[in-house]
Amino acid sequence: MLKSIRWTLQMWHAAILALALAGFGIALYFGISRARYHEVDAELEGAAQVLAAKVHVPPAWRHEPERPWPPRGPHRPPGEFLERDAALPANLLQGFGETDEDAPYFVIWREGGEILKASRPDLAVPDPGSPSGSAGHPPAPQIRQRADLREAIVYLPIGARVVVGASVRRERAELHRLIWLLVGVGTAVLGVGLAGGWMLSLRAIRPIRSIGEAAAAISGSNLSRRIDLAETHSELGTLAQVLNATFDRLEDAFEQQVRFTADASHELRTPLAVIHSHVELALSRGRSAEEYRQTLETCLKASRRMRGLIDSLLLLAKADAGKLDLERQPFDLTAVVDECVSLVGPLAAEKHVTLDTEFQEVEITGDPQRVGQVVMNLLTNAIRYNIDGGRVHVKAYAEGADAVVSVSDSGVGIAAQDQPHIFERFYRVDKARSRAAGGSGLGLAICKSIVEAHGGTLTLDSQVGEGATFVARFPCVPVGVSDQHVDESLPAPAPLA
Amino acid sequence: MRILVIEDEPDLLAALAQLLREAGYAVDVSSDGRNGLFKLKGDEYDAVVLDLMLPGMDGLALLRELRRTKTVPVLILTARDGLSDRVRGLDSGADDYLTKPFDRAELLARLRALIRRSAGKPEPTIRVGNVTIDTTGRTVIQAGQTVILTPREYALVEFLALHKGELVTRTMIYDHLFDEEDDSLSNLVDVHVSNVRKKLGKDFITTRRGQGYQIDA
């Protein structure tokens, strides 16, 4: 559960929301609380100042504001008295209510500590004393809180002090209620936020789950299913499209593989049918020694054909798996091409095809036998598919960082619609020719696999009526040539069927 | 009975031709589609053995083209054995389908069945009077006794029996008894008819003057 995106999202969402709400709530509370108390304090202080003004200060004191504070010594005032109407201002009484419990009160002390006047005689208000203020001046008015009572203290230059206090019980209760309100609302908002967030993440995750389900079903046995794009939107829609495209490619590759296997087994069936029919026929009645001999020869021929086919198939299978055992040695490419040209000399002569060559010294790293196989195949094709008295032009040269071998023939050429398929396995342009010549449609596919295993490319350039040119390009600096050991046990590859 | 074999693999074509000839059929061969179609349009055959993967013209295309004009039974012989291949082959007009490699006995039995069916005589044994012709064993029994016939004579008897009750012209007999390589004279037919009459009785084969021969039903 901890790894789930939904839960992680939810956790973070909850944490941030809670933090925000808490911060907001606290700030709000303190703001309100301060404002409220300030109001109260201002009123109390105001009242204290009013009363302080009513304390009679001897005239001498009024004119000597630089008297030292606290007042001591021989300059102590003889005594102060209050004006008769010293009482708390009416508006203060209104503000704080007039019930005995909560009614505001005041106490005035003389410098010596005796109570000059108190609004109620039973008040137990502690005397703030006459603390030292800044040099020469009485301390500034103060506020103090005793339990539910808040008091403002004003100091007079003559050493007297006035305390006006009131119960802030109601204020405190209000603020308490505010706390609960804030907590309640905050929790509700948090709850709604979390619920909303949960539903949102559910809606977002659902398409992901449906993609996952579809993909799982697809990779099972049914390769033709696709993710239903209508269910998904925006970023997930793109993901679905990409996945569908991947599955398309997978299905194609799979179909190709199935087709290849089917084609291979069909190709093998024909020589097998030859052997089967000939042997059955030979055994169906008494035959002469000559007839038996001919039957055996035919069987041998078919058996060779099957062997060649199986070798080709095995090579292609290895190439597909990336396990083509190639040697990796530097060799003279031109020498190999030259040798192949000599080997096809008789075939060319038989078909009245002339071979001409254009060679440059060029060396590559790879497997000379396999490369020779490729060149032989290209040359024999060029001769077989040529016109009587035609030409085959063979070139080997270096071009940039590549070594190039090109084989051009003056044959009938290859039609545009066949060209993209010509390197496909079992593809035959004209079924007649290749069967009669003993081919199975794998020659060019094998050439391509070998060339590509050397890190090279094999391309075709042709137009109908103007012959065909096959160009094999090998990197002089080897790229991706298999590093595997040379398999000594394998026989030298037979010429391609 | 005359059969056309269309197959491009030369060794297999040779084996098929030999095995069919040794089984008593007159056999023509062709190794590509267009040539095969040409022969089919020009001559009468009792059955066709057709390979699908043909050069020049695909086997199925040949079949569809053939079916526009001819009803000759066709047995497809091919390496492709997928279900869709079989269905396609049969739907294109083939009458039977055999995959390679095939057994000689099965090929012959299926061909016999096709020929019987196409002649409208589904029973493997044909009775004419007191003569019983077993097309499977290629034997003729008259009144309980096996009658020895040469392969050509048997072919003649079987052909006439399969067309029991119908008039068969001399040309038809000639076309169905000899393959294209044979350049025997056509009056060889009369010789064979006469030989059969010697062995099975004069009334076995009726002559229709100027038209042909017939075995009465």
Side-chain angles (χ1 to χ4, degrees), chain A residues 262-263 265-267 269-274 276-278 280-281 284-285 287 291 298 301-302 305 428 430-433 435, chain B residues 7-9 11-12 14-16 18-19 22-23 51 53-56 58 79-82 85 99-105:
Chain A
D263 283 343
S265 68
H266 294 142
E267 281 298 322
R269 280 184 152 152
T270 304
L272 199 58
V274 167
H276 189 93
S277 300
H278 276 265
E280 260 194 322
L281 198 55
S284 66
R285 57 168 82 162
R287 305 281 177 191
E291 281 173 316
T298 308
K301 191 168 130 198
R305 181 151 147 217
R428 293 197 188 87
D430 182 4
K431 293 174 183 160
R433 293 290 206 80
R435 215 37 121 78
Chain B
E7 162 68 60
D8 70 320
E9 168 63 50
D11 287 333
L12 197 53
L16 277 166
Q18 187 177 349
L19 94 82
E22 288 183 2
D51 175 43
M53 311 284 277
L54 290 174
D58 173 53
R80 297 210 159 258
D81 75 336
D85 294 305
T99 55
K100 299 177 193 173
F102 56 90
D103 278 322
R104 180 176 161 273

Side-chain angles (χ1 to χ4, degrees), chain A residues 181-259:
Chain A
L181 184 68
L182 285 176
V183 167
V185 169
T187 309
V189 170
L190 187 67
V192 168
L194 286 181
W198 186 252
M199 296 220 322
L200 212 70
S201 68
L202 192 72
R203 284 187 61 200
I205 297 289
R206 197 186 299 132
I208 293 183
R209 192 180 298 155
S210 83
I211 288 180
E213 277 167 4
I218 287 171
S219 60
S221 51
N222 182 7
L223 274 175
S224 54
R225 244 195 88 178
R226 295 287 177 268
I227 299 167
D228 186 355
L229 285 175
E231 292 182 310
T232 62
H233 23 254
S234 62
E235 291 94 343
L236 291 175
T238 314
L239 176 66
Q241 272 175 346
V242 166
L243 280 174
N244 277 347
T246 308
F247 294 135
D248 280 337
R249 285 199 302 276
L250 250 177
E251 197 178 10
D252 280 345
F254 194 71
E255 272 175 11
Q256 231 177 33
Q257 205 53 36
V258 169
R259 218 174 18 241

Side-chain angles (χ1 to χ4, degrees), chain B residues 40-59:
Chain B
L40 279 165
K41 289 194 168 151
D43 283 318
E44 286 300 314
Y45 293 98
D46 294 291
V48 180
V49 174
L50 175 66
D51 175 43
L52 285 185
M53 311 284 277
L54 290 174
M57 186 183 202
D58 173 53

Side-chain angles (χ1 to χ4, degrees), chain A residues 53 55-67 81 83 157-158:
Chain A
V55 172
H56 185 72
V57 178
W61 281 78
R62 287 186 210 146
H63 293 305
E64 293 174 63
E66 289 89 30
R67 289 273 176 195
F81 59 90
E83 295 186 8
I158 52 172

Side-chain angles (χ1 to χ4, degrees), chain A residues 265-480:
Chain A
S265 68
H266 294 142
E267 281 298 322
L268 282 170
R269 280 184 152 152
T270 304
L272 199 58
V274 167
I275 293 176
H276 189 93
S277 300
H278 276 265
V279 170
E280 260 194 322
L281 198 55
L283 293 173
S284 66
R285 57 168 82 162
R287 305 281 177 191
S288 71
E290 177 59 24
E291 281 173 316
Y292 286 132
R293 202 188 58 76
Q294 275 184 359
T295 300
L296 290 172
E297 267 187 19
T298 308
C299 289
L300 187 60
K301 191 168 130 198
S303 147
R304 281 200 186 112
R305 181 151 147 217
M306 282 200 286
R307 193 184 72 184
L309 192 61
I310 289 171
D311 282 345
S312 299
L313 290 172
L314 203 59
L315 191 153
L316 283 173
K318 280 189 180 178
D320 277 351
K323 290 197 170 64
L324 196 56
D325 291 327
L326 289 177
E327 271 192 50
R328 201 184 169 211
Q329 54 171 255
F331 66 94
D332 185 348
L333 179 62
T334 315
V336 167
V337 177
D338 198 20
E339 192 186 325
C340 294
V341 168
S342 327
L343 283 172
V344 298
L347 179 64
E350 201 183 299
K351 304 257 175 181
H352 310 118
V353 168
T354 46
L355 293 164
D356 57 78
T357 64
E358 205 181 296
F359 290 156
Q360 249 181 47
E361 283 291 315
V362 61
E363 209 181 73
I364 62 168
T365 303
D367 190 323
Q369 265 178 356
R370 293 289 183 204
V371 171
Q373 203 175 347
V374 171
V375 176
M376 277 301 286
N377 188 256
L378 293 177
L379 286 174
T380 46
N381 279 349
I383 294 170
R384 284 197 192 129
Y385 293 97
N386 217 325
I387 56 180
D388 199 52
R391 286 173 63 241
V392 172
H393 192 70
V394 187
K395 289 198 276 195
Y397 57 92
E399 189 177 72
D402 297 332
V404 181
V405 175
S406 95
V407 176
S408 310
D409 65 65
S410 57
V412 293
I414 297 167
Q417 74 247 32
D418 294 317
Q419 286 187 24
H421 303 291
I422 196 117
F423 295 107
E424 277 173 22
R425 299 161 185 198
F426 295 118
Y427 189 82
R428 293 197 188 87
V429 170
D430 182 4
K431 293 174 183 160
R433 293 290 206 80
S434 40
R435 215 37 121 78
S440 60
L442 289 177
L444 283 174
I446 290 177
C447 288
K448 189 157 199 253
S449 286
I450 293 176
V451 171
E452 284 178 357
H454 280 79
T457 58
L458 181 59
T459 51
L460 162 68
D461 187 12
S462 172
Q463 278 191 331
V464 176
E466 291 176 31
T469 303
F470 284 86
V471 177
R473 207 172 273 271
F474 299 91
C476 285
V477 176
V479 171

